[in-house]
Amino acid sequence: MSFSKDVKNELARVPMEDMAILHAELAAYVRTCGVIRLREGLKIDLSFHTENASVARRILSAIKRLFGSDVEVAATQNMYLKKNKQYRIRMTDEGSVRALLMDSDFLRPDNVFQMHYAVDPALLRDAQSIRAYIRASFLGAGSVTSPSKRYHLEMISHDKTHGDDINKWLSRVGFSAKGIYRKDDYILYLKEAEKISDLLAFMGASRSVLEFESTRVVKDVRNNVNRLVNCETANLSKTVNAASRQIRDIELIQKTVGFSALDEELIPVATCRMNHPEASLAEIGEMMEPKMSRSGVNHRLKKIHELAEKLRGE
């Protein structure tokens, strides 16, 4: 089971305690996973589509509690892509359909052909209603990637006005998502791990937050270890390459003009480097009598290199 499905299953079990929450959630489902069709005689057909059984049960429960009307439930096998089941919850009572769409401010009596994707603020009068609306928007058309792969949470809108409106409500409670078009849809997304974790907690997915943070900690530790190993490897490689070049310089001087051509202060450093090819500059400095600093050793090896370059004719 995917992490996104686990999150939705947990959120679908959050209690719907009062009517304001029911209205807020249904207003979100109408705008995210609702499908409206006009039939003969200007009759309105409303159904909700989702691939998550827990979300389907939650939508069905909300409709039953508010309207108690007849509802058809169907499950079909999607033959494309992942072949997941598609659940359809269809309201069959015309009066209940109109009541829900009007109460959600998605349609208005003066013009039933114009859809209003920006929700009426009167529906979201308190923090709990806003939380319910954001939670249902995620349940209806959202997903979150497993933190073991990458940090990404998104909500899909079929209309930019709707996407901007969701972002407005997110901003009201301390979140701010970015938006981008993907084909014909407008996508709101978060990529910061802390923001995703906080939003999951805000929506009520406390168990998923623990899993998210646990995976995140392991991932961050692993990444930090890899960075340290890569850094140490790079430094070791740099030290070995520098030591090899220094030894070549010293061997060239030995074969051509001998150590007698070196200044007296350079000979101990050259000798120590030849005897300890694996040592770092700091370790060579510790072996000197008296001890020398790393920069002091490096300065003397640079002078040796300059002499070797002259002997090479460079």
Side-chain angles (χ1 to χ4, degrees):
M1 187 180 296
S2 69
F3 179 70
S4 187
K5 189 172 183 179
D6 285 341
V7 172
K8 288 192 174 185
N9 287 345
E10 182 178 6
L11 290 177
R13 292 193 295 269
V14 174
M16 294 182 283
E17 297 170 347
D18 55 44
M19 291 299 150
I21 289 178
L22 288 170
H23 280 290
E25 288 212 5
L26 283 172
Y29 295 133
V30 165
R31 289 166 170 81
T32 53
C33 60
V35 178
I36 298 174
R37 293 186 177 90
L38 283 177
R39 294 182 289 160
E40 291 183 15
L42 293 181
K43 291 184 177 180
I44 302 174
D45 186 277
L46 174 62
S47 59
F48 300 90
H49 298 249
T50 178
E51 291 184 352
N52 188 292
S54 297
V55 175
R57 284 193 295 269
R58 188 174 183 85
I59 295 173
L60 178 62
S61 175
I63 294 172
K64 288 282 190 180
R65 285 179 62 183
L66 273 180
F67 301 100
S69 57
D70 293 335
V71 180
E72 290 180 356
V73 180
T76 58
Q77 190 73 35
N78 188 348
M79 300 308 295
Y80 300 98
L81 299 177
K82 298 179 181 178
K83 299 184 178 180
N84 294 329
K85 277 188 176 180
Q86 182 83 18
Y87 299 92
R88 187 190 69 173
I89 302 96
R90 178 175 173 268
M91 297 179 67
T92 58
D93 181 72
E94 175 75 12
S96 297
V97 169
R98 287 182 176 271
L100 174 54
L101 294 176
M102 301 300 173
D103 291 347
S104 300
D105 192 42
F106 192 64
L107 297 182
R108 295 175 182 172
D110 57 335
N111 187 353
V112 296
F113 298 101
Q114 182 178 358
M115 294 174 285
H116 296 269
Y117 281 99
V119 68
D120 185 353
L123 283 170
L124 310 181
R125 285 186 287 248
D126 54 40
Q128 291 305 316
S129 296
I130 296 173
R131 187 194 309 272
Y133 184 74
I134 292 173
R135 177 173 57 239
S137 295
F138 177 80
L139 287 172
S143 65
V144 58
T145 304
S146 171
S148 62
K149 298 177 180 177
R150 60 192 179 108
Y151 304 127
H152 183 86
L153 181 148
E154 69 179 34
M155 297 184 197
I156 301 174
S157 302
H158 301 303
D159 183 275
K160 186 177 184 297
T161 302
H162 181 219
D164 291 340
D165 191 59
I166 294 177
N167 205 11
K168 179 188 75 175
W169 293 107
L170 284 169
S171 299
R172 291 272 183 94
V173 290
F175 300 95
S176 182
K178 294 181 180 179
I180 189 174
Y181 280 102
R182 184 189 298 158
K183 296 183 179 179
D184 296 329
D185 295 323
Y186 187 72
I187 313 297
L188 286 178
Y189 65 91
L190 295 173
K191 285 189 175 293
E192 298 85 352
E194 287 186 8
K195 287 185 178 180
I196 294 173
S197 180
D198 289 345
L199 182 56
L200 293 178
F202 172 78
M203 292 189 295
S206 55
R207 183 179 56 78
S208 296
V209 170
L210 292 176
E211 182 182 346
F212 184 93
E213 288 297 333
S214 176
T215 304
R216 177 187 171 195
V217 168
V218 172
K219 184 178 179 180
D220 288 348
V221 169
R222 185 184 297 117
N223 288 341
N224 287 335
V225 170
N226 288 339
R227 277 194 291 271
L228 288 172
V229 169
N230 291 339
C231 184
E232 288 295 328
T233 302
N235 287 338
L236 180 59
S237 177
K238 185 178 179 181
T239 299
V240 170
N241 291 338
S244 298
R245 189 196 71 235
Q246 292 157 5
I247 290 173
R248 289 196 300 270
D249 291 341
I250 296 169
E251 287 177 342
L252 174 64
I253 293 171
Q254 278 183 316
K255 291 178 182 178
T256 53
V257 295
F259 275 6
S260 58
L262 292 174
D263 293 340
E264 185 175 343
E265 62 176 3
L266 303 182
I267 295 175
V269 173
T271 303
C272 188
R273 167 50 82 203
M274 292 297 291
N275 293 335
H276 303 280
E278 76 291 343
S280 66
L281 299 186
E283 290 170 339
I284 290 176
E286 288 292 319
M287 299 176 195
M288 295 293 99
E289 289 292 341
K291 293 181 179 180
M292 296 172 56
S293 66
R294 181 187 181 283
S295 60
V297 174
N298 187 51
H299 177 70
R300 286 161 175 76
L301 287 171
K302 278 187 176 180
K303 286 189 174 182
I304 293 172
H305 178 65
E306 289 171 1
L307 176 57
E309 292 295 273
K310 288 181 180 178
L311 295 173
R312 293 186 181 101
E314 299 180 4

